[in-house]
Amino acid sequence: MSIRLSPSILSADFMALGREVAAAERGGADLIHVDVMDGHFVPNLTIGVPVVRALKRVAQVPLDVHLMIDNPDRFLEAFIDAGAAMLSVHVEVLPHLHRTIQAIKGLGAQAGVVLNPSTPVSALEEVAADVDFVLVMSVNPGFGGQRFIPRSVAKIRAVRALLDQAGNPAPIEVDGGVDLETIGSVVEAGAEILVAGHAVFGGGDAESAARALKLAGARAAASRVRS
Ligand code: DX5
Ligand code: ZN
């Protein structure tokens, strides 16, 4: 399994986004994770389409855009036009999830489905063959720097089993509280795309922090293969 690191710019210095992204990339970032919040679905407001477009101009790696908004269907095209290569939407707000997934794919991006901590894995059952990736939230979305919810490890395993059963090799992404302490357990459970905000940008040296996480993730993946 190949491990990809997706640093979340939510904890970066917004006055220096270009430099922060470049530092994370030097440290081995494979993607850049962009958290879009609307103040309705989650109790916080962040950024929108213009910032994604600006990031697209500076990022060397693909943009992984996570929509935490009430009506994502309205904005799919705008975010993909602005440069989202991966676009994830929450199952909790989508009564027509199958249609939304097809719409994202039709617009040329990879379609991800996100589960909040309290959302059961069964919510994915009918679309397990259709998704390009699944994002398991390991904190309640809204803020960076929260504590990892340990139960998420079992959930990652259950999502992996569901995808395997559907014959879908789509990777699992995990988001929230991923750091040097928790990274081993999520990789061991089957996560392949690791979002990290505070752990990358919270300490002032995003390059070394990204490099350390990448190394820890790769080590955990190697021992998973051996066991
Ligand atoms: C939380 C966001 C996350 C967040 C992760 O609502 O979806 O992407 O930035 O931040 P950390 O890694 O600090 O928990
Ligand atoms: Zn996120």
Side-chain angles (χ1 to χ4, degrees):
M1 73 197 264
S2 71
I3 297 297
R4 280 179 282 170
L5 181 66
S6 189
S8 160
I9 56 151
L10 191 57
S11 293
D13 175 359
F14 276 30
M15 283 298 286
L17 270 186
R19 259 183 284 144
E20 294 274 66
V21 166
E25 287 175 344
R26 284 195 305 275
D30 300 281
L31 303 162
I32 294 294
H33 187 82
V34 185
D35 288 303
V36 176
M37 305 187 189
D38 66 353
H40 292 269
F41 177 59
V42 289
N44 196 6
L45 278 168
T46 55
I47 59 175
V49 172
V51 176
V52 172
R53 191 174 295 118
L55 284 166
K56 177 67 189 160
R57 292 209 315 266
V58 298
Q60 311 280 320
V61 297
L63 300 180
D64 163 32
V65 177
H66 175 191
L67 296 183
M68 285 159 278
I69 62 179
D70 262 350
N71 193 347
D73 288 323
R74 261 177 70 186
F75 297 101
L76 302 177
E77 194 168 358
F79 279 106
I80 292 167
D81 277 355
M86 295 167 67
L87 192 61
S88 55
V89 292
H90 275 257
V91 28
E92 298 85 8
V93 295
L94 286 164
H96 308 293
L97 184 58
H98 182 269
R99 182 160 67 202
T100 304
I101 292 168
Q102 303 311 323
I104 294 171
K105 290 177 162 180
L107 290 163
Q110 288 189 26
V113 168
V114 195
L115 302 178
N116 272 338
S118 65
T119 303
V121 174
S122 59
L124 273 179
E125 251 170 52
E126 300 302 327
V127 294
D130 303 303
V131 292
D132 290 317
F133 64 103
V134 172
L135 200 178
V136 173
M137 285 307 304
S138 42
V139 299
N140 287 293
F143 303 93
Q146 301 183 80
R147 275 175 68 90
F148 181 84
I149 299 172
R151 164 93 194 145
S152 316
V153 173
K155 193 167 190 181
I156 292 166
R157 284 186 211 286
V159 171
R160 185 69 266 156
L162 179 65
L163 290 169
D164 288 348
Q165 209 176 21
N168 188 351
I172 297 174
E173 178 169 24
V174 61
D175 184 4
V178 173
D179 58 18
L180 287 173
E181 254 176 53
T182 54
I183 197 166
S185 62
V186 298
V187 168
E188 210 264 316
E192 294 179 78
I193 305 174
L194 310 168
V195 177
H198 185 76
V200 170
F201 295 108
D205 183 354
E207 179 180 342
S208 324
R211 189 169 291 124
L213 282 165
K214 197 70 195 281
L215 188 64
R219 283 200 178 127
S223 66
R224 183 175 194 261
V225 171
R226 277 198 298 274
S227 63

